[in-house]
Amino acid sequence: MSLNAADQASKESAPSAKAGAESAATPGAAGLVPSRLYVLKPNDVVMVKVYQEEDLTIQARVARDGSITLPLLGTVSIGSNTVEQAIGLIRDGLAKDYLVNPQVSLSIVEYAKRRFTVLGQVNRPGTYEMPGDDQLNLLQAVAMAGGYTRIGAPTKITVQRVVADETKIFKLNAESMAKNKGEKPFEILPEDTITVGEKWI
């Protein structure tokens, strides 16, 4: 075996935590590798693996309080943390009392259902699921609802959102957002209700 080949074999035999996570995304493997900046939420189903420690592999649903239960560590609060932060919490917990340099990966088996509602003058009013861990803006949400009806008014859109138990109403102009590329589209959050008004005919 050549030196280069030996180096390659050595690298392949000891993947990093990131490489371990990426391996879960190969066709046929369980779990989806999310953005490492994805913020974990209650009802997400995650798979946690530790390299060369198969008995520590676990699939768990994030509880309403943001916790999961792991072998050795017991209850660990990962909710409201990014994937990167959650991996760090688990790795540090294992390294503190149990393993030397543990290599941890975390993948998403199932995303928590995140929904929004579109009402008013769109072709397919109703409730829709947000796609994966991607952000969704107002223009994309209206498109998912089939776009505007003939009398739909993109200049007369409201978004209703509950923030800290208080209902807030945002009045928006989607026409301006679509035309002005420099204007940042309004981001839609789970449980938002979008209402498209009517044009004056």
Side-chain angles (χ1 to χ4, degrees):
M1 179 183 292
S2 69
L3 183 59
N4 287 342
D7 287 346
Q8 184 64 28
S10 175
K11 289 177 183 177
E12 291 175 352
S13 66
S16 65
K18 183 175 181 180
E22 287 173 296
S23 67
T26 55
L32 304 170
V33 180
S35 160
R36 293 171 78 87
L37 297 179
Y38 172 72
V39 177
L40 294 159
K41 301 171 180 61
N43 289 323
D44 281 340
V45 178
V46 300
M47 180 175 290
V48 178
K49 295 183 178 182
V50 183
Y51 178 60
Q52 291 188 336
E53 299 288 344
E54 291 186 10
D55 54 334
L56 298 184
T57 295
I58 188 169
Q59 179 174 310
R61 185 178 297 275
V62 180
R64 294 189 69 175
D65 64 359
S67 67
I68 58 172
T69 301
L70 297 172
L72 299 181
L73 296 181
T75 300
V76 179
S77 183
I78 63 171
S80 299
N81 286 286
T82 65
V83 169
E84 185 86 40
Q85 291 167 334
I87 288 173
L89 286 171
I90 298 167
R91 182 178 59 235
D92 292 347
L94 291 172
K96 182 178 179 181
D97 295 313
Y98 303 102
L99 300 174
V100 177
N101 191 28
Q103 298 179 42
V104 177
S105 68
L106 186 151
S107 58
I108 305 293
V109 177
E110 177 186 326
Y111 288 102
K113 297 294 186 289
R114 302 184 303 147
R115 297 184 173 92
F116 66 97
T117 300
V118 188
L119 303 174
Q121 295 302 320
V122 289
N123 288 305
R124 295 193 301 272
T127 298
Y128 294 85
E129 288 189 9
M130 302 179 79
D133 66 333
D134 296 333
Q135 291 184 332
L136 183 78
N137 65 45
L138 177 63
L139 304 181
Q140 293 167 329
V142 170
M144 287 178 67
Y148 307 105
T149 65
R150 183 178 58 83
I151 60 171
T155 59
K156 297 167 62 177
I157 295 180
T158 60
V159 174
Q160 180 177 306
R161 176 178 299 169
V162 177
V163 180
D165 296 325
E166 179 182 347
T167 299
K168 294 191 174 183
I169 303 292
F170 301 87
K171 295 183 178 181
L172 304 168
N173 184 337
E175 185 175 280
S176 174
M177 293 177 194
K179 288 181 177 178
N180 184 359
K181 301 303 182 183
E183 183 176 351
K184 185 177 180 180
F186 184 86
E187 183 180 349
I188 299 302
L189 300 181
E191 309 307 323
D192 279 356
T193 298
I194 303 162
T195 303
V196 177
E198 296 181 9
K199 292 177 183 175
W200 292 105
I201 298 179

